[in-house]
Amino acid sequence: MAPVLPIIDFADWLSPTTTQEEKTAVAKALVDACRTVGFVYIINHRVSQEQLDDAFAWTKKLFDLPMEEKMLAPHPDGPAVHRGYSWPGLEKVSQVLGTKEDDEGKIVSELRKVQDCKESYEIGSEENKEQPNVWLPDSILPGFRTFTTSFYWTCWAAAQDILRALSLGLSLPDEDYLLRFHDGHNNQLRLLHYPPVPAKELESDTLARMPAHTDWSSITMLFQDDCGGLEVQTRQGEFVKAEPVKGAIIMNIGDLLMRWSNDILKSNLHRVTLPPRQDRFTGDERLTRARYSIPYFVSANVDSVIECLPSCTDEKNPPKYPPILHRDYRLMRASVQYETKGQKPAAVA
């Protein structure tokens, strides 16, 4: 099946013999795709297939560990620090913005009645003191910390190309404009596992994998295995399947960059549902296949003031959003996802 999302080839962007005109063509194609669709496949980027194969192998090793061993690196209570291991049911993805008003609290309570059936492990820069990493003991999974730390920075190298291309495509003052607000230390590498579940529980909405949501960040880079299940909402409101393309990055605009660009670039709702083909179910219970994915969220530095980009406003299009400190924005968005303190998975409660 041919991909329904645009494919942007970064070969010309990365080639040392590429002309400025050719680079600009890549940048304009990327921005046009982000305006009209919001999600794109990027091929011929800096992350090699060998590195991706290793990353998925480590991800499977991690989630194959017994629960009591994974719980040696538990996600901290509350929304302030987003690191370490999150067990099924801890995180609740939604579009609620996370105020503390009574009505908002009732909405959150209702949302949590349907558990998100996934587990994840969050990794960041070792230099980010506000978001300290929570590591497994080296004896549990030797080599894991070394590999994932290296892979984090490999992803950042690819992300810098995308930010430069967006800067050029948006006609910002220079290619490095967006990089002035991103130094790589506030990003997040997430390893994700969706365990097998009976298809009927997803079809009846008694369980969810990943409900429809937008991302908070500037951009997201996603690597997915061959299982499938990701769906993206088009501008017309229809959810379409984002089938896996081997080695490709699926890149999407986050809410922060939408705000920053004055809605010129728009984030999309997306979700993870059933695998797209029935042959990916097994047994009489129609168990789904396990699914693994690796998103890399690219976020501005926490002290950055996010206000309308200079090329995204004029007399006819004044800024739609007031300036906001990125630290405040992140905490506002995180407060719903990790609001329950002291919670433990049932197996180790």
Side-chain angles (χ1 to χ4, degrees):
M1 179 183 293
V4 296
L5 304 180
I7 297 177
I8 306 297
D9 191 337
F10 261 52
D12 280 345
W13 183 269
L14 295 174
S15 172
T17 61
T18 295
T19 66
Q20 188 61 34
E21 183 179 7
E22 290 169 328
K23 287 187 70 174
T24 300
V26 174
K28 292 296 185 184
L30 178 62
V31 166
D32 286 348
C34 290
R35 284 176 184 262
T36 57
V37 182
F39 268 72
V40 302
Y41 295 96
I42 294 178
I43 60 173
N44 294 317
H45 47 78
R46 289 187 188 271
V47 187
S48 71
Q49 187 61 52
E50 180 181 6
Q51 290 169 313
L52 286 176
D53 291 343
D54 287 346
F56 278 102
W58 279 109
T59 300
K60 188 174 187 307
K61 288 179 186 178
L62 168 69
F63 292 118
D64 281 347
L65 292 173
M67 177 62 77
E68 60 267 24
E69 292 187 354
K70 290 181 284 193
M71 284 300 297
L72 295 174
H75 187 289
D77 279 339
V81 178
H82 200 27
R83 296 291 185 262
Y85 174 68
S86 295
W87 52 92
L90 175 62
E91 181 189 56
K92 183 61 190 176
V93 172
S94 79
Q95 284 301 98
V96 177
L97 289 182
T99 67
K100 297 303 180 183
E101 298 172 6
D102 287 344
D103 287 347
E104 200 78 20
K106 291 177 182 177
I107 292 172
V108 172
S109 178
E110 287 298 312
L111 286 169
R112 285 187 170 272
K113 289 181 180 179
V114 179
Q115 177 178 303
D116 287 5
C117 188
K118 65 183 185 302
E119 54 182 343
S120 66
Y121 193 98
E122 324 295 336
I123 299 158
S125 166
E126 294 279 57
E127 296 183 34
N128 187 336
K129 304 306 180 186
E130 292 190 16
Q131 296 276 309
N133 281 315
V134 182
W135 292 109
L136 289 169
D138 287 340
S139 59
I140 297 296
L141 202 58
F144 174 76
R145 179 174 181 172
T146 298
F147 175 81
T148 51
T149 299
S150 174
F151 188 69
Y152 176 97
W153 292 110
T154 296
C155 292
W156 171 232
Q160 289 178 75
D161 294 325
I162 297 170
L163 290 173
R164 287 191 174 101
L166 289 170
S167 293
L168 180 60
L170 286 169
S171 300
L172 291 169
D174 57 74
E175 283 183 19
D176 288 338
Y177 190 88
L178 286 173
L179 285 175
R180 297 174 194 171
F181 303 90
H182 300 80
D183 62 13
H185 292 296
N186 200 37
N187 301 338
Q188 177 186 319
L189 173 65
R190 163 173 263 204
L191 311 181
L192 262 172
H193 173 224
Y194 299 86
V197 294
K200 65 180 180 181
E201 294 194 23
L202 298 175
E203 292 165 338
S204 64
D205 293 326
T206 55
L207 278 180
R209 286 187 128 180
M210 184 85 78
H213 66 285
T214 54
D215 294 337
W216 317 340
S217 51
S218 298
I219 62 172
T220 302
M221 297 160 41
L222 173 71
F223 306 100
Q224 58 176 336
D225 67 6
D226 64 353
C227 180
L230 175 65
E231 296 183 349
V232 175
Q233 189 180 57
T234 66
R235 298 293 190 240
Q236 292 72 42
E238 175 190 6
F239 277 96
V240 296
K241 299 183 186 305
E243 287 277 9
V245 173
K246 188 174 178 63
I249 294 171
I250 296 183
M251 191 280 287
N252 64 280
I253 299 300
D255 294 342
L256 188 72
L257 189 53
M258 181 176 76
R259 179 187 184 116
W260 217 342
S261 68
N262 214 26
D263 289 351
I264 288 177
L265 307 179
K266 290 189 177 181
S267 58
N268 292 55
L269 285 169
H270 53 286
R271 64 192 184 191
V272 177
T273 60
L274 289 166
R277 295 201 294 272
Q278 294 292 313
D279 61 7
R280 294 177 183 178
F281 303 152
T282 59
D284 293 339
E285 286 190 299
R286 297 173 61 237
L287 285 177
T288 61
R289 264 182 56 190
R291 179 179 185 267
Y292 299 89
S293 67
I294 304 175
Y296 184 79
F297 303 101
V298 180
S299 294
N301 304 333
V302 291
D303 292 323
S304 296
V305 176
I306 307 304
E307 55 187 333
C308 189
L309 294 168
S311 64
C312 297
T313 183
D314 54 34
E315 290 184 2
K316 295 182 179 180
N317 297 292
K320 297 179 180 179
Y321 305 96
I324 189 170
L325 189 68
H326 186 242
R327 178 185 288 105
D328 296 338
Y329 173 83
R330 183 185 67 80
L331 287 173
M332 174 185 72
R333 295 301 303 270
S335 62
V336 169
Q337 285 191 241
Y338 287 92
E339 67 166 3
T340 304
K341 293 184 177 294
Q343 185 182 352
K344 298 294 181 185
V348 295

